[in-house]
Amino acid sequence: NCPAPQKPNLTLTGSSPLKLSWSAPGEPPQVWLLKLRQNGMWRTEIIAGKSRAATLRVDGVDAIALSAINRAGIASPPVVQ
């Protein structure tokens, strides 16, 4: 049994570019699942688990969801902003 990771913490600053920083309580994830909603369309990015920040040069992002994915492929609950 491998429990799901805990919900990550996400901080957003700026708008263009949009700067994201995050952390996860507990064991570091294998990867991060980042979803961006822009103009009603969702875009998904897989980010290395060791990463803790990203800068996005996109306009019109109206929602961001971030989940931690552990080695077993189990996702945390997403943090949505």
Side-chain angles (χ1 to χ4, degrees):
N1 276 347
C2 187
Q6 295 180 38
K7 185 177 187 174
N9 302 304
L10 176 63
T11 302
L12 308 176
T13 57
S15 59
S16 185
L18 177 62
K19 295 181 180 185
L20 292 75
S21 60
W22 58 83
S23 62
E27 185 176 332
Q30 185 73 21
V31 295
W32 298 98
L33 179 67
L34 177 65
K35 295 181 178 183
L36 308 169
R37 188 174 66 194
Q38 183 180 24
N39 301 320
M41 304 279 296
W42 284 97
R43 179 176 107 196
T44 301
E45 294 186 25
I46 306 296
I47 300 173
K50 64 183 177 185
S51 296
R52 295 291 182 266
T55 300
L56 304 174
R57 288 169 173 60
V58 294
D59 292 322
V61 172
D62 61 2
I64 296 173
L66 179 73
S67 295
I69 311 291
N70 67 16
R71 283 177 264 198
I74 300 170
S76 71
V79 58
V80 180
Q81 293 192 9

